[in-house]
Amino acid sequence: MAAAETPIAAPELPSKDDTKDELAALDALEKEASEFNKDAEIDRILKAFRLDAYAVLNLQPGVPDTQIKIQFRKLSLLIHPDKTSNPSAPTAFDRLKKAQTELMDPKQRTHLDECISDARMLLIRERKLTTDSPEVKEPNAEFLGAWRKKTVEVLVDAEARRRKQLKAQMQEEGREQRKVDEEVEQRKRRREHEVKWEESREGRIGSWRDFNKGKVGGKVEGGKGEGEGRNKKKLKVLG
């Protein structure tokens, strides 16, 4: 006769305390993973070439405006200073916002697109390729990396020219402003002189009158004395 099979005991259900501990552990792991992702994204943004707004937002050139908005919202929610304790979050968020603003501005985006296109053409010329070359039509990782490097060079050069032009413009504006200030100062001095001249008018008139009175009196008295002197000189002793 076969031995009776021992019944398998049902697994014990976890207690409420065990369940809470497990959930807390899972939450901690998720939080840790989330913080790691935030820190990694902040680090990526800070290392991205800031003159290339596409690189800051981790986007490819030519994407539509809707994609720019979606990407900015996704990343801004991830690294927002209110969502992480990372001390570099404010700086990263500011760069992210600046990049989004530049790409949404038609003039600034056109300038960036032109620099990227110029970098591609320079690279093609340096390598003696054509736009129909296979590595240009279907660029590999090496070509894309060289293109990004050349883009940095073009953007740096463009920024240097922009700053030089801005400096020259500010110097010219400074010269114009100094010229205007000098003209204003000259008019001010002229007005002050006219006011002082007008204030001293009565004194000048009085002095002139007194001078004329003295002059007239001197002439009369002087004339009489001189006449008598001449008459006396003309007299001769007779005999």
Side-chain angles (χ1 to χ4, degrees), residues 16-72:
K16 291 183 179 181
D17 292 337
D18 292 339
T19 302
K20 289 181 179 179
D21 291 341
E22 291 174 0
L23 291 176
L26 289 173
D27 289 341
L29 287 173
E30 290 179 0
K31 184 177 181 180
E32 183 179 350
S34 177
E35 287 298 322
F36 175 80
N37 291 335
K38 291 177 181 180
D39 292 342
E41 185 58 28
I42 290 171
D43 187 59
R44 185 201 66 78
I45 291 172
L46 295 178
K47 288 181 179 179
F49 186 54
R50 65 176 67 187
L51 294 179
D52 185 353
Y54 290 115
V56 175
L57 283 165
N58 200 20
L59 289 171
Q60 293 297 321
V63 296
D65 290 352
T66 53
Q67 185 61 35
I68 295 171
K69 293 177 181 178
I70 292 172
Q71 182 74 347
F72 171 73

Side-chain angles (χ1 to χ4, degrees), residues 150-193:
K150 183 62 67 175
T151 298
V152 170
E153 294 176 5
V154 172
L155 287 171
V156 168
D157 184 61
E159 178 64 14
R161 289 199 307 272
R162 186 191 71 81
R163 293 187 181 188
K164 186 176 180 180
Q165 291 172 354
L166 181 61
K167 183 179 179 180
Q169 180 182 349
M170 291 177 66
Q171 289 175 343
E172 181 62 27
E173 290 175 353
R175 284 192 292 268
E176 291 295 327
Q177 186 60 45
R178 284 194 297 272
K179 185 178 178 181
V180 171
D181 292 342
E182 289 174 359
E183 292 175 352
V184 171
E185 186 62 26
Q186 288 177 359
R187 288 197 297 270
K188 181 181 177 182
R189 287 196 297 266
R190 194 159 49 243
R191 285 196 301 269
E192 291 176 350
H193 176 73

Side-chain angles (χ1 to χ4, degrees), residues 2-239:
E5 294 182 357
T6 304
I8 299 173
E12 294 183 2
L13 295 175
S15 64
K16 291 183 179 181
D17 292 337
D18 292 339
T19 302
K20 289 181 179 179
D21 291 341
E22 291 174 0
L23 291 176
L26 289 173
D27 289 341
L29 287 173
E30 290 179 0
K31 184 177 181 180
E32 183 179 350
S34 177
E35 287 298 322
F36 175 80
N37 291 335
K38 291 177 181 180
D39 292 342
E41 185 58 28
I42 290 171
D43 187 59
R44 185 201 66 78
I45 291 172
L46 295 178
K47 288 181 179 179
F49 186 54
R50 65 176 67 187
L51 294 179
D52 185 353
Y54 290 115
V56 175
L57 283 165
N58 200 20
L59 289 171
Q60 293 297 321
V63 296
D65 290 352
T66 53
Q67 185 61 35
I68 295 171
K69 293 177 181 178
I70 292 172
Q71 182 74 347
F72 171 73
R73 179 170 176 77
K74 183 179 79 172
L75 296 181
S76 63
L77 289 175
L78 180 64
I79 67 160
H80 196 281
D82 292 341
K83 303 290 185 179
T84 176
S85 58
N86 191 314
S88 298
T91 302
F93 184 81
D94 289 342
R95 291 190 187 182
L96 197 69
K97 179 61 179 176
K98 185 174 183 294
Q100 188 255 1
T101 301
E102 289 177 358
L103 289 183
M104 295 305 295
D105 181 275
K107 185 176 180 180
Q108 293 188 66
R109 185 175 182 182
T110 297
H111 170 72
L112 177 57
D113 289 342
E114 288 176 351
C115 286
I116 294 173
S117 179
D118 290 345
R120 178 173 176 269
M121 291 307 300
L122 287 172
L123 186 62
I124 290 173
R125 290 173 188 169
E126 287 178 3
R127 298 191 174 190
K128 298 180 180 180
L129 303 171
T130 67
T131 53
D132 293 328
S133 298
E135 61 186 291
V136 175
K137 283 189 171 183
E138 298 181 2
N140 55 22
E142 187 277 330
F143 186 88
L144 292 175
W147 185 4
R148 282 192 294 271
K149 185 177 179 180
K150 183 62 67 175
T151 298
V152 170
E153 294 176 5
V154 172
L155 287 171
V156 168
D157 184 61
E159 178 64 14
R161 289 199 307 272
R162 186 191 71 81
R163 293 187 181 188
K164 186 176 180 180
Q165 291 172 354
L166 181 61
K167 183 179 179 180
Q169 180 182 349
M170 291 177 66
Q171 289 175 343
E172 181 62 27
E173 290 175 353
R175 284 192 292 268
E176 291 295 327
Q177 186 60 45
R178 284 194 297 272
K179 185 178 178 181
V180 171
D181 292 342
E182 289 174 359
E183 292 175 352
V184 171
E185 186 62 26
Q186 288 177 359
R187 288 197 297 270
K188 181 181 177 182
R189 287 196 297 266
R190 194 159 49 243
R191 285 196 301 269
E192 291 176 350
H193 176 73
E194 291 172 354
V195 169
K196 289 180 180 179
W197 179 261
E198 187 63 28
E199 289 176 349
S200 62
R201 181 172 178 274
E202 291 299 327
R204 292 197 312 277
I205 293 174
S207 298
W208 179 251
R209 287 172 180 169
D210 294 340
F211 173 75
N212 284 335
K213 286 179 181 179
K215 186 176 181 182
V216 171
K219 279 185 176 181
V220 172
E221 293 174 0
K224 183 179 179 181
E226 290 175 0
E228 291 176 352
R230 284 195 299 272
N231 290 336
K232 287 179 180 179
K233 288 179 181 179
K234 288 179 181 180
L235 293 177
K236 294 182 178 180
V237 179
L238 299 176

